[in-house]
Amino acid sequence: QDHWGDGWDAKTQLAIGIYNSSTQSTEPGWLYKGSLTQGFESWEYLCLPPGCLQILVSGGGQWSQEVRWTLIEITLGMEEQEQGRVVASGGAGEECFFSVDDFCESTCKI
């Protein structure tokens, strides 16, 4: 989401990757990288694999306080109006970990 409605600063990106606690790195790379290029909000549907996943949201520049994001778990077959479970949320400059199928403890805000 973007409070002003003009999208996120060009330097702001949200990335999701599989986290390897042994090497303390995201491997083999990022599963998803994206940004809100225009408008107040946008939706992306992702199918994420089981594991401990890392979310990294870069800077945000001068208007970082406008940047907000939410990761919601939905199940195939859910009706449009049904609400999914919020897995993580935050703003610019956030980094946290969450689990798909209980692989690690979540450090993300909900």
Side-chain angles (χ1 to χ4, degrees):
Q1 296 175 328
D2 180 82
H3 180 73
W4 189 254
D6 58 352
W8 294 352
D9 182 291
K11 297 175 189 164
T12 305
Q13 273 206 336
L14 183 141
I16 299 175
I18 299 173
Y19 184 73
N20 183 329
S21 58
S22 300
T23 61
Q24 295 186 343
S25 65
T26 301
E27 296 179 353
W30 298 104
L31 299 170
Y32 170 82
K33 282 186 180 180
S35 186
L36 177 61
T37 57
Q38 62 184 18
F40 289 97
E41 67 181 26
S42 177
W43 293 88
E44 297 280 339
Y45 291 93
L46 308 173
C47 185
L48 299 172
C52 187
L53 301 172
Q54 178 182 17
I55 293 180
L56 179 63
V57 184
S58 60
Q62 182 179 0
W63 306 106
S64 61
Q65 72 277 8
E66 291 185 13
V67 175
R68 291 284 170 254
W69 55 269
T70 304
L71 183 65
I72 300 171
E73 177 184 52
I74 61 172
T75 305
L76 290 176
M78 286 179 81
E79 295 295 325
E80 249 325 290
Q81 68 274 14
E82 289 185 88
Q83 296 292 320
R85 179 178 69 95
V86 174
V87 175
S89 64
E94 301 268 344
E95 177 181 8
C96 65
F97 302 92
F98 70 97
S99 181
V100 174
D101 291 340
D102 295 323
F103 278 82
C104 64
E105 187 174 331
S106 176
T107 62
C108 298
K109 294 182 223 171
I110 295 180

